[in-house]
Amino acid sequence: MLAEEHLVVTGSGYGTLIAAIGVGAALGPLALLRLIRNPRRPVFVLGPFALRGVVDLLIASVAVLPVAVVALVLYGVGTSTGEVTFNSMLQAETPEHSRSRIFATMGVLWQGGRLVSLGAGGLFADLYGITAVCYLGGELSYKCLVGVNPHQMDADSPLFGSKDWS
């Protein structure tokens, strides 16, 4: 086998790619703890989702193993930091008397959404290929973020306003 063949993403590199996500997922919250004073700031809540969208587009465009490994480490970072920052914000913004109901509802919606997206993504991948699924994921992330007005986050937004985010 030629050395160049080891640099292309194939089925034999699957374990390495999954491990890369795990490494990123472990490093993400550690980086938040060391580098970020207030992870509830809007940029830290929305940034990981933007990062995941960029990674989806990169994975769809590049089949080189080292690039895919680095991208999936970033994917893991985005997944774990997104979860931590979103839950931190949700906990800070939710009144104590309804916090348990809100977190239970959020858990059901989050996990239900994951199941639906895995099923829909699997069907879409069978019909159009995994590259199309990754492009679609990146595009959907972009479209979700385009609708966010950063000026409203700091001013009148009921979700991001009225707090000192410094």
Side-chain angles (χ1 to χ4, degrees), residues 46 70 79 91 157:
L46 298 174
V70 170
T79 298
Q91 185 169 2
S157 170

Side-chain angles (χ1 to χ4, degrees), residues 1 7 18 47-48 51 58 65 67 72 78-79 108 150:
M1 222 187 254
L7 296 177
I18 296 298
L51 176 63
L58 184 61
L65 187 59
V67 174
L72 289 174
T79 298
V108 167

Side-chain angles (χ1 to χ4, degrees), residues 41-91:
R41 290 180 54 211
V43 69
F44 300 124
V45 173
L46 298 174
F49 298 105
L51 176 63
R52 289 208 30 207
V54 169
V55 168
D56 282 344
L57 294 174
L58 184 61
I59 290 293
S61 303
V62 178
V64 179
L65 187 59
V67 174
V69 168
V70 170
L72 289 174
V73 167
L74 293 174
Y75 182 88
V77 168
T79 298
S80 62
T81 57
E83 180 98 19
V84 167
T85 56
F86 185 80
N87 280 325
S88 295
M89 182 201 61
L90 191 61
Q91 185 169 2

Side-chain angles (χ1 to χ4, degrees), residues 120-140:
L123 291 173
F124 197 80
D126 278 349
L127 292 172
Y128 303 105
I130 191 64
T131 301
V133 173
C134 291
Y135 277 129
L136 181 63
E139 183 180 345
L140 289 174

